[in-house]
Amino acid sequence: MRENPLVLHVLGARPNFVKAAPVVRGLADLGIRQAIVHTGQHYDALMSDVFFADLGLPEPIANLAVGSGSHARQTAALLTGLEEVVERHGPDLVVVYGDVNSTLAAILVCAKLHVPTAHVEAGLRSFDREMPEEVNRVVTDALADILLVTSPDGLSHLAGEGVPASKVHLVGNPMIDSLFSALPRLDPEPVKARLGLPERYAVATLHRPANVDDPESARELVEAVLAVAEQVPVVVPLHPRGRTRLAEAGLVTGENLSIIDPLGYVDFLSLVRGAALVVTDSGGVQEETTMLGVPCLTVRANTERPITITHGTNRLVTPASLPAEASKALADGAATPSGELPPLWDGAAGPRIARVIEAWLRGDNLSPASQGVPPVTS
């Protein structure tokens, strides 16, 4: 490696920004040169710009502005744009996050250009290849040089896929770092007042292809959400993806149901913190509700984050079972995580990841037995 190596972060969607912020801070504390590429996969200001501001991320050196489109068209645009950026800047390591198309495109570009890569949130599996995110996860982990794992189940998944232990490091969850950093700013009252919400309300976030792309699936989901809204007022910060399909199925503002634009990071988590219930199909929200102690019903057949069920406040539901499960959750009241919190979800994942990257850049041999993570000192 050269004397002043460059680490390049590729970010495409709002969950990427949340995961990257603690890593960027950790590397900055170590004096490592770094830069961010924003692919523009989430292009709305409320889906990206406000997240950069809320999380204190530096301005990106490039914004590819790929926008939306089919998986093929979006990935093709990402491949072309990222290849040019990587060739121009010559990074020593590219860090990718999560399971979005930007992550898949970056890992493919770097594999072809022989640029080393690190994957934050490696090893998550739903074992459902019909999910485009699952395909992205498997391909990314197969090609990455450093696999940074958020929970112990990821270690066994990667071992089962034959990934060498020397590549794998259990580091904890940087999304939880961002949540802990934001906690002092998470006040539900101003957001509730601005949105005209009562004391008791639910939040719903819905965007997964399996739920919103097919008209019949969208109709079933909307009927279930409307049934929940008969029990408690529901506010839906609606992702641009699927907005039209859900509206056609009847998800429109009405009595006890408020459809709003996406919120910034602090406003959204403030809203979640004050909620009596969260209904979601998002991965990150399952983790955030686990830490905030908010009952979470995930409208999916499976989850790549089973630790949010075994250690958290999350339950899987179907559209058909959602109204009854919501009634039970509302009657039970505030949730508490089941047993101990997930290991290393302690707000120090960013520094751990930074130390793994620093050691790799120096050429140190990291011990698989310890996962290469020395104890964090205060």
Side-chain angles (χ1 to χ4, degrees):
M1 292 293 174
R2 55 185 163 181
E3 186 173 334
N4 187 22
L6 173 65
V7 174
L8 189 68
H9 306 266
V10 175
L11 311 180
R14 58 194 290 170
N16 293 171
F17 312 146
V18 180
K19 295 161 194 167
V23 181
V24 170
R25 285 195 301 272
L27 290 170
D29 289 344
L30 296 175
I32 294 174
R33 189 164 63 103
Q34 55 187 326
I36 290 173
V37 175
H38 183 0
T39 68
Q41 184 174 333
H42 276 179
Y43 49 89
D44 187 287
L46 291 172
M47 300 292 285
S48 62
D49 295 358
V50 70
F51 268 57
F52 272 75
D54 280 351
L55 294 163
L57 285 165
E59 286 291 318
I61 59 169
N63 187 330
L64 304 183
V66 297
S68 59
S70 71
H71 285 284
R73 289 181 181 276
Q74 189 180 67
T75 305
L78 287 161
L79 287 167
T80 304
L82 286 169
E83 181 182 62
E84 182 180 336
V85 171
V86 171
E87 287 183 326
R88 184 189 321 137
H89 293 279
D92 297 271
L93 181 72
V94 171
V95 185
V96 298
Y97 298 81
D99 53 24
V100 297
N101 286 341
S102 297
T103 296
L104 173 68
I107 210 81
L108 290 172
V109 164
C110 291
K112 299 283 188 177
L113 295 177
H114 309 294
V115 174
T117 51
H119 182 206
V120 174
E121 208 178 59
L124 296 186
R125 296 290 183 271
S126 68
F127 300 101
D128 180 1
R129 292 290 178 91
E130 292 188 9
M131 292 181 66
E133 297 89 350
E134 182 75 356
V135 175
N136 292 352
R137 293 179 201 118
V138 172
V139 173
T140 300
D141 286 342
L143 295 176
D145 297 278
I146 306 171
L147 293 103
L148 300 156
V149 179
T150 58
S151 58
D153 53 295
L155 299 176
S156 57
H157 296 157
L158 294 171
E161 293 170 9
V163 176
S166 58
K167 291 185 173 184
V168 181
H169 310 280
L170 179 63
V171 292
N173 191 341
M175 181 170 271
I176 304 308
D177 292 25
S178 289
L179 174 59
F180 283 179
S181 295
L183 273 176
R185 295 181 286 158
L186 301 187
D187 183 359
E189 296 306 320
V191 184
K192 285 165 53 181
R194 192 168 76 241
L195 298 176
L197 292 172
E199 186 61 29
R200 198 164 189 249
Y201 63 91
V203 176
T205 69
L206 310 164
H207 73 278
R208 292 281 178 184
N211 280 331
V212 305
D213 283 4
D214 175 68
E216 180 61 22
S217 297
R219 183 190 62 77
E220 291 176 359
L221 178 62
V222 168
E223 287 180 356
V225 172
L226 293 175
V228 174
E230 292 177 359
Q231 305 174 46
V232 64
V234 178
V235 58
V236 188
L238 198 54
H239 194 296
R241 192 187 194 293
R243 181 187 291 263
T244 301
R245 181 79 71 193
L246 290 171
E248 290 171 349
L251 194 71
V252 294
T253 293
E255 187 176 358
N256 262 18
L257 183 67
S258 300
I259 310 301
I260 63 172
D261 287 333
L263 296 170
Y265 179 69
V266 171
D267 281 353
F268 176 71
L269 281 186
S270 295
L271 192 67
V272 167
R273 189 179 197 180
L277 172 68
V278 170
V279 176
T280 191
D281 55 14
S282 164
V285 173
Q286 297 171 51
E287 297 174 338
E288 289 158 342
T289 50
T290 282
M291 303 307 290
L292 292 171
V294 176
C296 179
L297 300 178
T298 298
V299 191
R300 284 171 50 184
N302 49 58
T303 178
E304 65 286 348
R305 294 165 168 86
I307 202 165
T308 64
I309 296 174
T310 58
H311 288 64
T313 62
N314 184 31
R315 279 185 286 166
L316 297 180
V317 299
T318 65
S321 68
L322 174 59
E325 292 285 357
S327 177
K328 181 179 185 304
L330 291 167
D332 290 344
T336 55
S338 307
E340 296 181 1
L341 289 173
L344 300 184
W345 288 26
D346 56 3
R352 290 191 194 96
I353 292 169
R355 290 203 304 273
V356 170
I357 290 173
E358 180 191 41
W360 184 89
L361 290 170
R362 289 197 310 259
D364 293 352
N365 290 321
L366 299 175
S367 165
S370 67
Q371 298 304 319
V373 183
V376 175
T377 57
S378 55

PDB file of all heavy atoms in Angstrom, residues 133 205-213 221 239 241-242 246 280-283:
ATOM      1  N   GLU A 133     -32.384  -8.132  -2.538  1.00  0.00           N
ATOM      2  CA  GLU A 133     -31.347  -7.817  -1.549  1.00  0.00           C
ATOM      3  C   GLU A 133     -30.540  -9.051  -1.162  1.00  0.00           C
ATOM      4  O   GLU A 133     -29.350  -8.965  -0.888  1.00  0.00           O
ATOM      5  CB  GLU A 133     -31.973  -7.202  -0.297  1.00  0.00           C
ATOM      6  CG  GLU A 133     -32.680  -5.876  -0.514  1.00  0.00           C
ATOM      7  CD  GLU A 133     -34.140  -6.036  -0.883  1.00  0.00           C
ATOM      8  OE1 GLU A 133     -34.570  -7.198  -1.167  1.00  0.00           O
ATOM      9  OE2 GLU A 133     -34.866  -5.027  -0.888  1.00  0.00           O
ATOM     10  N   THR A 205     -43.754   1.735   7.846  1.00  0.00           N
ATOM     11  CA  THR A 205     -42.855   1.978   6.713  1.00  0.00           C
ATOM     12  C   THR A 205     -42.939   0.765   5.792  1.00  0.00           C
ATOM     13  O   THR A 205     -42.719  -0.369   6.228  1.00  0.00           O
ATOM     14  CB  THR A 205     -41.390   2.190   7.164  1.00  0.00           C
ATOM     15  OG1 THR A 205     -40.849   0.955   7.667  1.00  0.00           O
ATOM     16  CG2 THR A 205     -41.310   3.249   8.239  1.00  0.00           C
ATOM     17  N   LEU A 206     -43.272   1.003   4.531  1.00  0.00           N
ATOM     18  CA  LEU A 206     -43.577  -0.081   3.602  1.00  0.00           C
ATOM     19  C   LEU A 206     -42.964   0.214   2.238  1.00  0.00           C
ATOM     20  O   LEU A 206     -43.282   1.230   1.626  1.00  0.00           O
ATOM     21  CB  LEU A 206     -45.094  -0.230   3.457  1.00  0.00           C
ATOM     22  CG  LEU A 206     -45.882  -0.318   4.781  1.00  0.00           C
ATOM     23  CD1 LEU A 206     -47.354  -0.065   4.542  1.00  0.00           C
ATOM     24  CD2 LEU A 206     -45.640  -1.664   5.440  1.00  0.00           C
ATOM     25  N   HIS A 207     -42.099  -0.687   1.753  1.00  0.00           N
ATOM     26  CA  HIS A 207     -41.512  -0.450   0.430  1.00  0.00           C
ATOM     27  C   HIS A 207     -40.966  -1.700  -0.246  1.00  0.00           C
ATOM     28  O   HIS A 207     -40.568  -1.643  -1.408  1.00  0.00           O
ATOM     29  CB  HIS A 207     -40.362   0.569   0.539  1.00  0.00           C
ATOM     30  CG  HIS A 207     -39.135   0.007   1.190  1.00  0.00           C
ATOM     31  ND1 HIS A 207     -38.994  -0.088   2.545  1.00  0.00           N
ATOM     32  CD2 HIS A 207     -37.999  -0.502   0.661  1.00  0.00           C
ATOM     33  CE1 HIS A 207     -37.821  -0.615   2.840  1.00  0.00           C
ATOM     34  NE2 HIS A 207     -37.201  -0.894   1.711  1.00  0.00           N
ATOM     35  N   ARG A 208     -40.926  -2.853   0.422  1.00  0.00           N
ATOM     36  CA  ARG A 208     -40.316  -4.047  -0.154  1.00  0.00           C
ATOM     37  C   ARG A 208     -41.060  -4.482  -1.422  1.00  0.00           C
ATOM     38  O   ARG A 208     -42.299  -4.454  -1.477  1.00  0.00           O
ATOM     39  CB  ARG A 208     -40.330  -5.204   0.844  1.00  0.00           C
ATOM     40  CG  ARG A 208     -39.419  -5.000   2.031  1.00  0.00           C
ATOM     41  CD  ARG A 208     -37.987  -5.282   1.686  1.00  0.00           C
ATOM     42  NE  ARG A 208     -37.114  -5.035   2.826  1.00  0.00           N
ATOM     43  CZ  ARG A 208     -35.795  -5.118   2.793  1.00  0.00           C
ATOM     44  NH1 ARG A 208     -35.197  -5.436   1.677  1.00  0.00           N
ATOM     45  NH2 ARG A 208     -35.074  -4.856   3.866  1.00  0.00           N
ATOM     46  N   PRO A 209     -40.322  -4.910  -2.452  1.00  0.00           N
ATOM     47  CA  PRO A 209     -40.974  -5.350  -3.697  1.00  0.00           C
ATOM     48  C   PRO A 209     -42.047  -6.418  -3.466  1.00  0.00           C
ATOM     49  O   PRO A 209     -43.106  -6.373  -4.094  1.00  0.00           O
ATOM     50  CB  PRO A 209     -39.802  -5.901  -4.520  1.00  0.00           C
ATOM     51  CG  PRO A 209     -38.609  -5.145  -4.044  1.00  0.00           C
ATOM     52  CD  PRO A 209     -38.844  -4.913  -2.577  1.00  0.00           C
ATOM     53  N   ALA A 210     -41.784  -7.378  -2.573  1.00  0.00           N
ATOM     54  CA  ALA A 210     -42.756  -8.446  -2.344  1.00  0.00           C
ATOM     55  C   ALA A 210     -44.070  -7.909  -1.811  1.00  0.00           C
ATOM     56  O   ALA A 210     -45.127  -8.538  -1.983  1.00  0.00           O
ATOM     57  CB  ALA A 210     -42.179  -9.479  -1.376  1.00  0.00           C
ATOM     58  N   ASN A 211     -44.038  -6.747  -1.174  1.00  0.00           N
ATOM     59  CA  ASN A 211     -45.254  -6.171  -0.593  1.00  0.00           C
ATOM     60  C   ASN A 211     -45.944  -5.174  -1.508  1.00  0.00           C
ATOM     61  O   ASN A 211     -47.172  -5.026  -1.430  1.00  0.00           O
ATOM     62  CB  ASN A 211     -44.925  -5.475   0.730  1.00  0.00           C
ATOM     63  CG  ASN A 211     -44.795  -6.459   1.880  1.00  0.00           C
ATOM     64  OD1 ASN A 211     -45.421  -7.506   1.883  1.00  0.00           O
ATOM     65  ND2 ASN A 211     -43.970  -6.113   2.860  1.00  0.00           N
ATOM     66  N   VAL A 212     -45.186  -4.461  -2.340  1.00  0.00           N
ATOM     67  CA  VAL A 212     -45.786  -3.321  -3.047  1.00  0.00           C
ATOM     68  C   VAL A 212     -45.799  -3.448  -4.561  1.00  0.00           C
ATOM     69  O   VAL A 212     -46.540  -2.715  -5.220  1.00  0.00           O
ATOM     70  CB  VAL A 212     -45.083  -1.991  -2.648  1.00  0.00           C
ATOM     71  CG1 VAL A 212     -45.093  -1.803  -1.145  1.00  0.00           C
ATOM     72  CG2 VAL A 212     -43.660  -1.920  -3.185  1.00  0.00           C
ATOM     73  N   ASP A 213     -45.019  -4.347  -5.138  1.00  0.00           N
ATOM     74  CA  ASP A 213     -44.941  -4.383  -6.601  1.00  0.00           C
ATOM     75  C   ASP A 213     -46.139  -5.067  -7.249  1.00  0.00           C
ATOM     76  O   ASP A 213     -46.602  -4.669  -8.315  1.00  0.00           O
ATOM     77  CB  ASP A 213     -43.655  -5.081  -7.053  1.00  0.00           C
ATOM     78  CG  ASP A 213     -42.433  -4.184  -6.916  1.00  0.00           C
ATOM     79  OD1 ASP A 213     -42.598  -3.059  -6.397  1.00  0.00           O
ATOM     80  OD2 ASP A 213     -41.325  -4.597  -7.318  1.00  0.00           O
ATOM     81  N   LEU A 221     -51.904  -5.790   1.754  1.00  0.00           N
ATOM     82  CA  LEU A 221     -51.156  -5.035   2.757  1.00  0.00           C
ATOM     83  C   LEU A 221     -51.916  -3.785   3.179  1.00  0.00           C
ATOM     84  O   LEU A 221     -52.010  -3.467   4.376  1.00  0.00           O
ATOM     85  CB  LEU A 221     -49.784  -4.658   2.198  1.00  0.00           C
ATOM     86  CG  LEU A 221     -48.890  -3.813   3.112  1.00  0.00           C
ATOM     87  CD1 LEU A 221     -48.554  -4.574   4.393  1.00  0.00           C
ATOM     88  CD2 LEU A 221     -47.599  -3.427   2.381  1.00  0.00           C
ATOM     89  N   HIS A 239     -42.024   5.952   1.422  1.00  0.00           N
ATOM     90  CA  HIS A 239     -40.899   5.841   0.493  1.00  0.00           C
ATOM     91  C   HIS A 239     -41.422   6.078  -0.932  1.00  0.00           C
ATOM     92  O   HIS A 239     -42.509   5.623  -1.282  1.00  0.00           O
ATOM     93  CB  HIS A 239     -40.360   4.412   0.639  1.00  0.00           C
ATOM     94  CG  HIS A 239     -39.027   4.153   0.033  1.00  0.00           C
ATOM     95  ND1 HIS A 239     -38.795   4.237  -1.321  1.00  0.00           N
ATOM     96  CD2 HIS A 239     -37.858   3.779   0.595  1.00  0.00           C
ATOM     97  CE1 HIS A 239     -37.540   3.913  -1.558  1.00  0.00           C
ATOM     98  NE2 HIS A 239     -36.949   3.628  -0.418  1.00  0.00           N
ATOM     99  N   ARG A 241     -40.603   4.612  -3.518  1.00  0.00           N
ATOM    100  CA  ARG A 241     -40.797   3.321  -4.154  1.00  0.00           C
ATOM    101  C   ARG A 241     -42.143   2.734  -3.734  1.00  0.00           C
ATOM    102  O   ARG A 241     -42.430   2.549  -2.572  1.00  0.00           O
ATOM    103  CB  ARG A 241     -39.686   2.369  -3.721  1.00  0.00           C
ATOM    104  CG  ARG A 241     -39.663   1.113  -4.548  1.00  0.00           C
ATOM    105  CD  ARG A 241     -38.709   0.069  -4.063  1.00  0.00           C
ATOM    106  NE  ARG A 241     -38.535  -0.934  -5.083  1.00  0.00           N
ATOM    107  CZ  ARG A 241     -39.498  -1.756  -5.471  1.00  0.00           C
ATOM    108  NH1 ARG A 241     -40.677  -1.695  -4.907  1.00  0.00           N
ATOM    109  NH2 ARG A 241     -39.285  -2.628  -6.439  1.00  0.00           N
ATOM    110  N   GLY A 242     -42.995   2.473  -4.689  1.00  0.00           N
ATOM    111  CA  GLY A 242     -44.282   1.862  -4.392  1.00  0.00           C
ATOM    112  C   GLY A 242     -45.375   2.831  -4.017  1.00  0.00           C
ATOM    113  O   GLY A 242     -46.511   2.410  -3.766  1.00  0.00           O
ATOM    114  N   LEU A 246     -49.334   1.702  -3.862  1.00  0.00           N
ATOM    115  CA  LEU A 246     -50.042   1.673  -2.584  1.00  0.00           C
ATOM    116  C   LEU A 246     -51.218   2.641  -2.574  1.00  0.00           C
ATOM    117  O   LEU A 246     -52.272   2.347  -1.995  1.00  0.00           O
ATOM    118  CB  LEU A 246     -49.066   1.983  -1.443  1.00  0.00           C
ATOM    119  CG  LEU A 246     -48.028   0.893  -1.160  1.00  0.00           C
ATOM    120  CD1 LEU A 246     -46.986   1.397  -0.163  1.00  0.00           C
ATOM    121  CD2 LEU A 246     -48.689  -0.379  -0.640  1.00  0.00           C
ATOM    122  N   THR A 280     -43.519  -2.544   9.764  1.00  0.00           N
ATOM    123  CA  THR A 280     -42.458  -2.261   8.797  1.00  0.00           C
ATOM    124  C   THR A 280     -42.177  -3.471   7.920  1.00  0.00           C
ATOM    125  O   THR A 280     -42.586  -4.602   8.228  1.00  0.00           O
ATOM    126  CB  THR A 280     -41.173  -1.834   9.531  1.00  0.00           C
ATOM    127  OG1 THR A 280     -40.234  -1.316   8.592  1.00  0.00           O
ATOM    128  CG2 THR A 280     -40.544  -3.017  10.266  1.00  0.00           C
ATOM    129  N   ASP A 281     -41.477  -3.238   6.811  1.00  0.00           N
ATOM    130  CA  ASP A 281     -40.830  -4.314   6.070  1.00  0.00           C
ATOM    131  C   ASP A 281     -39.357  -3.971   5.847  1.00  0.00           C
ATOM    132  O   ASP A 281     -38.678  -4.584   5.028  1.00  0.00           O
ATOM    133  CB  ASP A 281     -41.545  -4.610   4.740  1.00  0.00           C
ATOM    134  CG  ASP A 281     -41.686  -3.390   3.842  1.00  0.00           C
ATOM    135  OD1 ASP A 281     -41.011  -2.367   4.088  1.00  0.00           O
ATOM    136  OD2 ASP A 281     -42.465  -3.464   2.862  1.00  0.00           O
ATOM    137  N   SER A 282     -38.865  -2.997   6.591  1.00  0.00           N
ATOM    138  CA  SER A 282     -37.481  -2.542   6.496  1.00  0.00           C
ATOM    139  C   SER A 282     -36.578  -3.359   7.406  1.00  0.00           C
ATOM    140  O   SER A 282     -36.985  -3.795   8.483  1.00  0.00           O
ATOM    141  CB  SER A 282     -37.406  -1.062   6.896  1.00  0.00           C
ATOM    142  OG  SER A 282     -36.080  -0.681   7.177  1.00  0.00           O
ATOM    143  N   GLY A 283     -35.321  -3.524   6.989  1.00  0.00           N
ATOM    144  CA  GLY A 283     -34.357  -4.209   7.834  1.00  0.00           C
ATOM    145  C   GLY A 283     -33.879  -3.361   8.994  1.00  0.00           C
ATOM    146  O   GLY A 283     -33.914  -3.784  10.150  1.00  0.00           O
TER     147      GLY A 283
END
